[in-house]
């Protein structure tokens, strides 16, 4: 039997017993496996929120096949990370003025303790910075309102690059 073709741990154990009955040493210990979980956060839940207080506004639309976490960083510091369920969108208010790198990860089964998805993970970032600016103008205040769509859209103007998992901001 080829282990890669086994349909379950039970079939591997049965093959081991058959080999043992023929006089072969077929000692095999299988790792314990956990049942797949489907943990999710509420749409728009902040995972990290350490630097907001401005007037900027960011809407994120998640048309991907998995849930997503969008993280904005300024330099090496994470400003905030927010959870967006697949097929949903959320708006983040109070974004400070500044230039941000926008990262996003998509996947299934959010492990809050590890702050990561456990299955079907991808890690990307938008190639262009998100620039938020608040200025006083005659008659009031002008501030940046941006919308990012995580899936490819016809007529879209943003490009993304893959990010190695170890370089994704936490």
């Amino acid at each position: 039997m080829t282990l890669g073709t086994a349909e379950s741990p039970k079939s591997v154990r049965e093959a081991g017993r058959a080999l043992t009955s023929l006089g072969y040493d077929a000692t095999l210990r299988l790792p314990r496996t956990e049942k797949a979980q489907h943990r999710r956060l509420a749409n728009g839940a902040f995972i990290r929120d350490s630097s907001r207080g401005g007037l900027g506004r960011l809407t994120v639309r998640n048309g991907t096949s998995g849930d997503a976490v969008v993280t904005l960083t300024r330099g090496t510091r994470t400003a905030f990370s927010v959870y967006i369920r697949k097929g949903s969108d959320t708006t983040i208010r109070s974004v400070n003025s500044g230039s941000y790198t926008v990262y996003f990860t998509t996947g299934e089964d959010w492990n809050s303790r590890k702050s990561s998805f456990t299955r079907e993970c991808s890690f990307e970032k938008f190639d262009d910075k998100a620039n938020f600016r608040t200025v006083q103008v005659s008659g009031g205040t002008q501030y940046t309102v941006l919308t990012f769509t995580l899936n490819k859209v016809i007529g879209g103007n943003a490009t993304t690059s893959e990010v190695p998992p170890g370089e994704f901001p936490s």
Side-chain angles (χ1 to χ4, degrees):
M1 171 183 200
T2 304
L3 288 178
T5 62
E7 293 182 22
S8 71
K10 183 179 177 185
S11 63
V12 173
R13 281 190 205 97
E14 290 170 356
R17 283 190 203 106
L19 288 169
T20 301
S21 70
L22 295 172
Y24 293 98
D25 180 10
T27 305
L28 176 65
R29 293 202 184 274
L30 297 176
R32 291 182 56 167
T33 57
E34 295 179 14
K35 185 176 179 183
Q37 297 184 53
H38 301 282
R39 297 168 287 190
R40 302 172 85 191
L41 296 180
N43 190 59
F46 281 95
I47 295 163
R48 185 166 186 178
D49 189 12
S50 59
S51 181
R52 287 186 316 120
L55 296 177
R57 190 167 51 208
L58 171 65
T59 297
V60 180
R61 295 189 174 128
N62 182 6
T64 70
S65 61
D67 289 355
V69 171
V70 172
T71 299
L72 269 66
T73 64
R74 286 175 62 177
T76 59
R77 299 186 69 117
T78 297
F80 60 86
S81 297
V82 65
Y83 193 96
I84 304 107
R85 287 186 168 202
K86 67 181 175 181
S88 299
D89 47 294
T90 194
T91 299
I92 299 100
R93 301 181 190 289
S94 305
V95 179
N96 288 330
S97 294
S99 182
Y100 296 86
T101 302
V102 180
Y103 294 87
F104 64 99
T105 179
T106 59
E108 295 179 20
D109 183 36
W110 180 256
N111 182 330
S112 291
R113 192 170 45 84
K114 294 183 179 181
S115 292
S116 65
F117 292 106
T118 65
R119 294 187 309 279
E120 305 297 325
C121 307
S122 71
F123 303 88
E124 298 181 59
K125 71 174 182 169
F126 284 92
D127 295 329
D128 293 329
K129 301 268 188 191
N131 295 306
F132 289 87
R133 193 169 151 221
T134 300
V135 293
Q136 297 299 320
V137 294
S138 64
T141 305
Q142 190 175 50
Y143 56 90
T144 305
V145 177
L146 296 177
T147 299
F148 279 81
T149 304
L150 302 182
N151 53 294
K152 296 190 184 330
V153 294
I154 295 173
N157 61 358
T159 58
T160 61
S161 299
E162 288 186 22
V163 175
E167 293 179 20
F168 196 83
S170 55

